[in-house]
Amino acid sequence: MGMFERDTEIYRNRDALREDYQPAKLVGRDEELERYKTALQPVINGEQPNNIFLYGKTGVGKTAGTRFLLDHLIEDAAQYDDIELTVKILNCDGLSSSYQIATRLVNKFRADSNQISTTGYPRATVYDMLWSELDACGGTIIIVLDEVDHIEDDSILYQLPRARANGNLTEAKIGIIGISNDFSFRDDLSPKVKSSLCEEELQFPAYDANELIEILSQRAEVAFHEGVIDDGVVELCAAYGAKDAGDARQSLDLLMKAGDLARDHDTDTITDNLVRDAREELERGRIREGISGLTQHGHLVLYALLTLEQQGKTPVRSRDVRPRYTSFAEQVGADPLVPRRMRDHLGELSMLGIISAVERNEGRRGGTYREYSLDMDTQMILTALEETVAQVGIHESVAQMVDQETTLSEYT
DNA sequence: CTTCCACGGGAAGTGATGGTAC
DNA sequence: GTACCATCACTTCCCGTGGAAG
């Protein structure tokens, strides 16, 4: 027996559950894709492409549908000698400024050996680089900006569609496809940008439970061997996805995680219980990821709330979190943040779903304030903190306190 | 009705960090 | 090296708000 041994194989093709898998047919998006196709038609006619704005909640097939159509568009455009089509897809997640978008776009057009740094240049320099890359590429260029709502300024969305009119480009014809799950993003755009970016608007509605079941069944059939999935598992995964705004991605992730758990445990069937375990596991991952992205003070605020929860002092308003937080900050030799900033951290934690906030208003007596409490199991948060945080001194004493379920008198 | 509270949101500014260009 | 440049976490300050108290 070697060191490695093949697992009991429940998967026929695990990739079919991945986000980037492209099934031959996209379920439940017929009308949307038909309209999308019409909006892309000018490309094949060799005309200036439409700018398209696509919106709909997460996991409703916006990105999948876009990739699907653009792959076909590239294929079909190849049959016409007079069309040189280039498609670049950029996910704007984690990029907050037009400057960042511009640097990434320049790099998309450049060879791996010739990439530019994402900081350091003046803004105008980066734009000039972008124009020369676009013109050097030439032909028809479609730029897909996925999660475009992450960009906090209009600049690139204003510049790109107008680059030709403003004389920055002479060769290339540019089409922008903006994808967003934030409905209000469109309304917040300046009128100038709105009119050019939103020439064609497409809306993808959420999947209903039946569509989710159909999608999951379609993928599961490819992904798993016969008889691996218990009755009701697909429906359960679909139900979780449907509850969270018709999100197919979430349902698929859940099914895949359940499959992975089954494989790890050397069992050959996926049961309802395994799906529930998978859900917990995914939740843990989400929390861990959220916590690892926090600053030192974010962690200290969370430790403060954690101990208060442990002592049964939650829900607690920010002014009562503060003394605990400042004492922790002093223990690790950090200057405590100003109250306003500490509240920002509390708000960030509740955005991440790690803690929950309830707004209260006692009018003239108490004004408006928020009461915070932990939204997750204390032990789970503590474990996540331990894995990602190097706040040794605090962590030890907090962990001990949680373990013994005693109240340490020095933190009152 | 007005008053008042503790907030949240936003603007402006600071100083550190990490980068380019000369 | 110097002169710039963008970005981040943060501070400071100010203004607007919901709703019970007066």
Side-chain angles (χ1 to χ4, degrees):
Chain A
M1 181 76 58
M3 221 167 121
F4 293 96
E5 178 189 352
R6 181 162 284 191
D7 289 317
T8 328
E9 207 36 272
I10 58 167
Y11 285 122
R12 196 198 313 264
N13 177 10
R14 181 173 176 272
D15 290 347
L17 298 177
R18 290 170 55 96
E19 199 192 331
D20 53 11
Y21 177 80
Q22 204 172 94
K25 181 182 180 323
L26 293 179
V27 173
R29 294 285 95 134
D30 296 346
E31 276 176 43
E32 289 77 17
L33 291 181
E34 195 53 43
R35 290 205 291 134
Y36 204 162
K37 196 182 137 203
T38 308
L40 289 169
Q41 186 60 35
V43 175
I44 287 294
N45 298 344
E47 299 156 4
Q48 170 82 28
N50 285 317
N51 295 318
I52 301 172
F53 189 69
L54 184 60
Y55 51 105
K57 299 234 171 70
T58 50
V60 295
K62 301 187 299 294
T63 309
T66 299
R67 286 183 189 279
F68 178 82
L69 284 183
L70 289 179
D71 282 355
H72 281 91
L73 187 65
I74 291 169
E75 206 174 289
D76 296 347
Q79 294 169 15
Y80 300 93
D81 304 340
D82 56 340
I83 303 176
E84 292 260 349
L85 177 62
T86 308
V87 172
K88 298 288 178 189
I89 300 181
L90 178 65
N91 190 311
C92 306
D93 186 22
L95 309 176
S96 57
S97 65
S98 289
Y99 180 91
Q100 296 288 354
I101 304 299
T103 59
R104 305 306 142 111
L105 282 177
V106 168
N107 282 338
K108 285 261 178 202
F109 284 94
R110 289 199 175 185
D112 282 350
S113 55
N114 197 21
Q115 302 272 296
I116 62 166
S117 153
T118 57
T119 52
Y121 303 100
R123 180 182 268 115
T125 310
V126 176
Y127 277 24
D128 284 344
M129 290 185 204
L130 181 56
W131 307 141
S132 58
E133 291 301 329
L134 289 171
D135 247 353
C137 177
T140 305
I141 303 175
I142 293 184
I143 296 175
V144 180
L145 298 174
D146 202 352
E147 306 195 49
V148 68
D149 48 303
H150 286 73
I151 313 175
E152 281 161 18
D153 66 285
D154 277 357
S155 160
I156 192 110
L157 299 178
Y158 179 76
Q159 297 283 348
L160 267 177
R162 284 175 175 70
R164 207 179 163 89
N166 289 348
N168 293 316
L169 293 179
T170 54
E171 302 302 319
K173 287 183 249 181
I174 309 284
I176 313 285
I177 299 178
I179 303 180
S180 167
N181 51 35
D182 182 0
F183 290 81
S184 63
F185 176 75
R186 197 200 84 102
D187 300 329
D188 293 343
L189 289 171
S190 74
K192 289 180 299 188
V193 174
K194 200 190 294 182
S195 68
S196 60
L197 182 65
C198 309
E199 284 175 339
E200 295 283 340
E201 287 184 44
L202 293 167
Q203 195 184 186
F204 276 40
Y207 293 118
D208 62 31
N210 288 332
E211 286 168 331
L212 284 175
I213 289 173
E214 204 180 327
I215 293 167
L216 288 174
S217 306
Q218 174 200 42
R219 304 290 192 91
E221 206 171 299
V222 183
F224 296 109
H225 288 295
E226 298 274 321
V228 167
I229 308 184
D230 271 9
D231 284 352
V233 162
V234 162
E235 286 75 7
L236 185 59
C237 291
Y240 280 130
K243 200 172 63 182
D244 229 358
D247 190 339
R249 188 182 313 159
Q250 198 187 324
S251 299
L252 285 165
D253 283 350
L254 189 55
L255 188 57
M256 182 158 78
K257 179 56 84 178
D260 289 355
L261 287 177
R263 184 166 68 173
D264 292 348
H265 297 157
D266 273 338
T267 56
D268 49 13
T269 53
I270 300 174
T271 60
D272 280 9
N273 280 333
L274 217 44
V275 172
R276 283 181 248 277
D277 290 351
R279 194 171 154 75
E280 262 181 52
E281 180 71 27
L282 286 175
E283 185 77 343
R284 261 196 290 279
R286 221 196 73 221
I287 299 303
R288 202 177 306 131
E289 207 174 297
I291 286 178
S292 70
L294 299 173
T295 61
Q296 182 196 31
H297 289 287
H299 294 136
L300 292 172
V301 170
L302 185 53
Y303 276 118
L305 205 67
L306 188 68
T307 55
L308 289 164
E309 172 91 13
Q310 193 63 28
Q311 295 171 335
K313 291 180 180 168
T314 53
V316 60
R317 58 192 299 172
S318 74
R319 90 164 42 134
D320 299 324
V321 176
R322 187 157 176 79
R324 179 68 49 89
Y325 156 75
T326 42
S327 106
F328 281 171
E330 277 156 19
Q331 276 187 57
V332 299
D335 288 342
L337 297 179
V338 98
R340 179 71 185 84
R341 185 66 190 144
M342 194 198 77
R343 286 201 299 272
D344 282 345
H345 280 298
L346 285 168
E348 220 171 296
L349 287 167
S350 84
M351 286 273 271
L352 290 168
I354 298 171
I355 70 176
S356 61
V358 179
E359 194 157 306
R360 313 238 314 145
N361 193 330
E362 289 183 59
R364 196 172 182 175
R365 180 152 45 92
T368 50
Y369 59 93
R370 288 174 186 185
E371 284 189 321
Y372 300 92
S373 43
L374 278 196
D375 220 15
M376 297 287 147
D377 179 59
T378 46
Q379 196 57 53
M380 181 178 140
I381 293 179
L382 199 61
T383 311
L385 277 164
E386 187 177 19
E387 284 169 17
T388 53
V389 182
Q391 220 55 259
V392 186
I394 293 290
H395 189 85
E396 298 311 311
S397 51
V398 172
Q400 202 184 6
M401 167 181 167
V402 172
D403 276 351
Q404 299 170 353
E405 299 201 6
T406 52
T407 305
L408 300 185
S409 55
E410 65 238 55
Y411 312 132
T412 47

